[in-house]
Amino acid sequence: MLQLVYISSVNPAAPCPTQDILTVSRRNNARDRITGLLYADAGRFLQALEGPEDAVEAAYARIRGDRRHRAIVLLSRQQVDRRAFGHWEMAHRAPGADAASFLDEVRRLTADATPDVRGTFEGLVRTRVLA
Ligand SMILES: Cc1cc2nc3c(=O)[nH]c(=O)nc-3n(C[C@H](O)[C@H](O)[C@H](O)COP(=O)(O)O)c2cc1C
């Protein structure tokens, strides 16, 4: 199985509710047997995608071409024996939501990931949420 992690920035010229991304992604990812985690806030996306190699490559190609974000950088690409993310999740902190409990939620969602992937999510979320 292939696992990819990328980071990107929200495109201010094409803002969209994260709910729109969530709806399409849930449908496609269930069909393609892709699992992962999408962290989204007002400025950044950080996403892990894992599943059959062809399906993950195809999804990543679609995502890379999506105008709703830009400056996409692939942070990690690795073969994994088993899934770190049991199902596709969207971590999204609503304005005013408690920072510490959100960080706990991200820790829970990344608990089975490798230390580097876990550290990437936790590191970004810390700087975004607790700064
Ligand atoms: C930050 C971000 C994350 C996305 N994640 C996924 C995803 O996990 N799976 C997916 O199929 N599409 C995802 N999309 C949407 C794709 O870019 C694309 O719009 C969608 O796959 C097209 O699906 P359709 O061909 O069924 O209309 C994401 C888009 C953005 C901006």
Side-chain angles (χ1 to χ4, degrees):
M1 244 181 326
L2 178 64
Q3 185 194 75
L4 302 180
V5 181
Y6 74 83
I7 189 166
S8 65
S9 298
V10 171
N11 180 359
C16 82
T18 42
Q19 188 59 42
D20 291 358
I21 296 174
L22 186 61
T23 304
V24 173
S25 300
R26 283 232 164 98
R27 187 195 63 212
N28 288 350
N29 293 357
R31 176 196 68 201
D32 300 337
R33 293 189 295 132
I34 291 174
T35 52
L37 175 64
L38 175 64
Y39 167 78
D41 64 29
R44 295 269 182 193
F45 295 111
L46 176 65
Q47 186 172 31
L49 295 162
E50 64 187 9
E53 184 150 358
D54 290 356
V56 171
E57 294 284 15
Y60 185 57
R62 290 197 308 273
I63 293 167
R64 237 180 13 222
D66 196 314
R67 274 198 74 239
R68 290 173 291 189
H69 58 170
R70 60 183 185 181
I72 299 172
V73 177
L74 189 62
L75 298 177
S76 145
R77 177 193 180 89
Q78 58 181 332
Q79 297 292 333
V80 290
D81 294 335
R82 56 189 188 87
R83 292 179 189 270
F85 305 95
H87 47 277
W88 195 83
E89 283 278 2
M90 164 84 105
H92 177 63
R93 180 169 169 255
D98 178 61
S101 57
F102 182 72
L103 190 56
D104 282 347
E105 174 75 357
V106 170
R107 283 204 189 106
R108 186 183 66 75
L109 293 171
T110 56
D112 293 334
T114 54
D116 55 339
V117 169
R118 225 166 43 226
T120 298
F121 273 91
E122 218 184 295
L124 178 79
V125 172
R126 261 182 197 286
T127 57
R128 301 294 289 173
V129 165
L130 298 179

